[in-house]
Amino acid sequence: MRIVLVLQGGGALGAYQAGVFQALHEHGLAPDWIVGTSIGAINAAILAGNPHATRLARLRQFWEGISHRDPYDMRRVPDAQRRSNIFAQTWDTLLRGVPGFFKPRLFSPFAAGMAVDPEQASFYDTAELGETLNSLIDFDYLNGPEGMRLTVNALKVTCGTLRSFDNRDLDINVDHIRASGALPPGFPAVRIDGELYWDGGLYSNTPLETVLDDAKPVDTLCFMVDLWSADGEEPTTLDQVQTRQKDVTFASRSKRHLDDYVARHKLQQKLRGLYAALPEHAQTEQGEQDLAELGCGTTLHVVRLEYAGRDWNMAAKDINFSKGSTEWRWDQGYQDGLRAVEAAGWLAFVSEDTPLVVHELPPLPAAQPARAREKAA
């Protein structure tokens, strides 16, 4: 089967995606195609822009470079001390930015409500991210015939439509990656071929529909990594309200897309059956071509891996670049990736007329306390 990796946007939560990839990488499940938005686009570009032997090392280099060093080992202190450190680290990110990623625009008239150039209309400057990506990504390899397929999504500012930049159709450069993660008003829009683009997550933060709309007639194994949860408790504080708002806004809409995908495939199967029942003289070359364009009876396996860190219901969890937090998220992604690989539900028999199978992670072993899994990052 073709292997696809779908990566959401989620800022600092994207370290979880890196851990998932490590588990797949170690078990020979190298993606043929990666689709990403925002931080997912950054992770995806680093992976697609390096040969198999160096992908994981480059990805780790990126995350170690943008993580804030903690004053003590976060694994050896109680929750209260971890939370205080993360609070301080988050404020440091807001005030000073993240070296190699973004830095504040000091004394910018934009913050005072004044007009500026569209590319300057933000609180932070992401030029350093471009330098970082250029040092980590071999764009000649990424756009060459030996590289894997890469698609990153961005939103066209002037009309609100989604644009998918695919290295099968054009040469992707650092601006396409920066555009996919240009979340306003924090980050500036990026101009590409005369058009301004913002973060693709404003339109759809889980780029699964890019895979569903692909007409390639091949069975597909899709690992979908979710960083936000649509399910949560009723909020009672301002921070909890803001956290729930962000979770709901950026959570996956995959169920609706998958339901539509199944309905479309069932209709295609009906059409093929009706066409096959036609008399031979009524079956034409044009009819065969039309059926081929509709797609064939392929099976899509979707493996859902969901980040379960609660981060103390912090609305700013996506800008928590504390080294202890990013390492924790990476490890959780790795452990979840191992669980998915060990379950290998996609190897079970399914009939040829099954359009979709969704695989959830198996339950945690009874010996592992639930509290440990849900422990704040």
Side-chain angles (χ1 to χ4, degrees):
M1 290 184 286
R2 173 180 64 172
I3 300 177
V4 181
L5 184 59
V6 175
L7 304 177
Q8 265 192 351
L13 307 183
Y16 177 83
Q17 299 170 343
V20 170
F21 172 78
Q22 180 183 353
L24 302 182
H25 179 81
E26 291 178 354
H27 287 79
L29 293 169
D32 303 295
W33 180 19
I34 306 185
V35 186
T37 294
S38 197
I39 194 64
I42 293 174
N43 283 333
I46 294 172
L47 296 175
N50 285 284
H52 182 273
T54 59
R55 284 171 188 161
L56 188 59
R58 291 290 182 268
L59 192 61
R60 190 173 294 280
Q61 185 179 345
F62 171 75
W63 281 99
E64 288 181 350
I66 65 171
S67 296
H68 286 206
R69 305 297 174 186
D70 297 310
Y72 37 73
D73 188 342
M74 292 266 281
R75 296 168 297 181
R76 300 180 180 275
V77 296
D79 278 357
Q81 193 169 350
R82 272 197 295 268
R83 184 168 187 173
S84 296
N85 175 64
I86 287 175
F87 182 80
Q89 295 280 27
T90 302
W91 270 105
D92 186 61
T93 296
L94 289 170
L95 296 174
R96 296 196 305 156
V98 175
F101 198 157
F102 59 90
K103 64 179 181 181
R105 297 185 189 276
L106 301 177
F107 312 112
S108 170
F110 173 78
M114 299 174 63
V116 296
D117 291 339
E119 294 92 336
Q120 307 294 319
S122 65
F123 296 122
Y124 298 92
D125 181 358
T126 58
E128 290 187 5
L129 174 61
E131 298 171 2
T132 297
L133 294 178
N134 276 323
S135 70
L136 294 174
I137 297 172
D138 182 346
F139 283 97
D140 290 334
Y141 177 85
L142 188 153
N143 295 305
E146 69 275 20
M148 71 173 71
R149 183 180 177 187
L150 171 68
T151 306
V152 298
N153 291 336
L155 180 77
K156 191 176 292 187
V157 173
T158 55
C159 62
T161 58
L162 191 68
R163 172 77 186 274
S164 293
F165 298 106
D166 194 307
N167 64 349
R168 296 192 317 172
D169 306 320
L170 53 84
D171 283 350
I172 287 182
N173 60 45
V174 72
D175 285 340
H176 298 104
I177 313 305
R178 289 179 56 236
S180 183
L183 184 64
F187 297 162
V190 177
R191 194 176 297 278
I192 300 173
D193 297 330
E195 291 284 353
L196 279 178
Y197 290 93
W198 272 336
D199 191 311
L202 294 172
Y203 184 94
S204 177
N205 197 41
T206 305
L208 179 65
E209 60 265 39
T210 302
V211 179
L212 301 182
D213 292 339
D214 187 67
K216 189 173 182 179
V218 60
D219 290 338
T220 298
L221 171 59
C222 175
F223 292 94
M224 184 175 68
V225 188
D226 291 343
L227 301 177
W228 307 89
S229 177
D231 299 324
E233 298 178 355
E234 296 179 352
T236 59
T237 67
L238 175 60
D239 197 48
Q240 290 175 4
V241 167
Q242 291 175 324
T243 302
R244 285 303 304 143
Q245 179 190 25
K246 189 174 285 189
D247 281 338
V248 171
T249 299
F250 294 115
S252 173
R253 305 293 186 268
S254 59
K255 186 179 186 305
R256 183 189 65 196
H257 295 311
L258 291 173
D259 288 344
D260 292 343
Y261 177 83
V262 171
R264 184 171 76 239
H265 267 243
K266 287 182 177 179
L267 178 60
Q268 291 168 352
Q269 291 170 353
K270 289 289 186 182
L271 288 173
R272 282 193 292 271
L274 290 172
Y275 185 82
L278 290 175
E280 186 174 344
H281 71 272
Q283 298 183 16
T284 65
E285 183 177 343
Q286 182 62 47
E288 297 285 350
Q289 182 178 340
D290 290 342
L291 279 181
E293 291 177 355
L294 285 175
C296 64
T298 59
T299 299
L300 171 65
H301 292 264
V302 175
V303 182
R304 289 186 67 249
L305 297 106
E306 184 179 13
Y307 172 65
R310 301 300 181 239
D311 293 83
W312 296 290
N313 288 321
M314 291 174 59
K317 57 187 174 182
D318 52 330
I319 57 171
N320 166 21
F321 287 91
S322 155
K323 184 174 178 58
S325 294
T326 57
E327 288 179 344
W328 187 92
R329 291 169 183 144
W330 185 303
D331 181 65
Q332 292 305 309
Y334 179 67
Q335 297 300 329
D336 285 351
L338 290 179
R339 288 165 61 203
V341 171
E342 290 168 1
W346 55 88
L347 296 179
F349 172 79
V350 295
S351 61
E352 292 184 359
D353 60 350
T354 302
L356 172 71
V357 184
V358 178
H359 306 274
E360 303 289 349
L361 286 179
L364 286 166
Q368 183 174 357
R371 183 177 177 275
R373 183 63 182 88
E374 298 185 358
K375 189 176 181 181

